[in-house]
Amino acid sequence: QVQLVESGGGSVQAGGSLRLSCTLSGGSSSSICMGWFRQAPGKEREREAIAAMYVRTGETHYGESVEGRITISSQDNDNDKKTLILQMRNMTPEDTAMYVCAAAGPPAYFPGGGSSCYRRPNHAYNYWGRGTQVTVSS
């Protein structure tokens, strides 16, 4: 059974940086999308991930609202676990949200080629973590 566990949330001052991790276990395929979504207080979860990766190739996609301020990377751990790392800098109070990790697939590619991670909507992700809270104070 696939499980996603996030860590690294907390409080940060505006202008600061944060590193979040999401560990996926229970899945052996690399043909998956892993992405970070966020839900701000009083709002619905954003429709698209702020950052997503096609794990097999390392192809990454970033949302326009955060592009230039975040990077994601992945690493393989022992026992076939995969970790998706999100690093965000120059944070603002508008970044305050619950950050939730999700995975889609396998497979996560189109029959004609290319991953299906680009702007993949939240309803097309199969697995979800419980989230980690990030609070940015001014």
Side-chain angles (χ1 to χ4, degrees):
Q1 181 178 359
V2 173
Q3 290 187 319
L4 296 165
V5 178
E6 301 95 337
S7 63
S11 298
V12 63
Q13 294 283 330
S17 302
L18 202 66
R19 183 179 187 271
L20 305 179
S21 296
C22 168
T23 298
L24 181 152
S25 61
S28 59
S29 174
S30 63
S31 180
I32 57 172
C33 301
M34 290 184 72
W36 284 98
F37 290 81
R38 60 185 185 182
Q39 184 168 4
K43 296 185 178 180
E44 293 186 351
R45 183 175 295 167
E46 294 183 4
R47 183 178 182 276
E48 297 175 5
I50 58 170
M53 175 184 285
Y54 182 49
V55 174
R56 175 165 290 175
T57 62
E59 165 193 318
T60 56
H61 303 284
Y62 298 101
E64 292 181 0
S65 65
V66 297
E67 193 163 15
R69 296 194 296 123
I70 66 170
T71 55
I72 53 173
S73 58
S74 69
Q75 65 183 44
D76 290 333
N77 305 315
D78 294 338
N79 300 321
D80 291 328
K81 292 183 179 180
K82 299 175 179 64
T83 298
L84 185 70
I85 298 168
L86 171 71
Q87 299 190 81
M88 182 178 287
R89 57 188 180 276
N90 296 329
M91 299 186 73
T92 73
E94 287 69 37
D95 294 318
T96 294
M98 180 70 76
Y99 284 69
V100 187
C101 179
Y109 59 86
F110 294 111
S115 83
S116 57
C117 301
Y118 177 63
R119 304 192 71 174
R120 188 178 185 121
N122 57 25
H123 63 77
Y125 278 76
N126 315 52
Y127 308 101
W128 292 86
R130 302 184 71 172
T132 184
Q133 178 67 38
V134 172
T135 302
V136 185
S137 57
S138 57

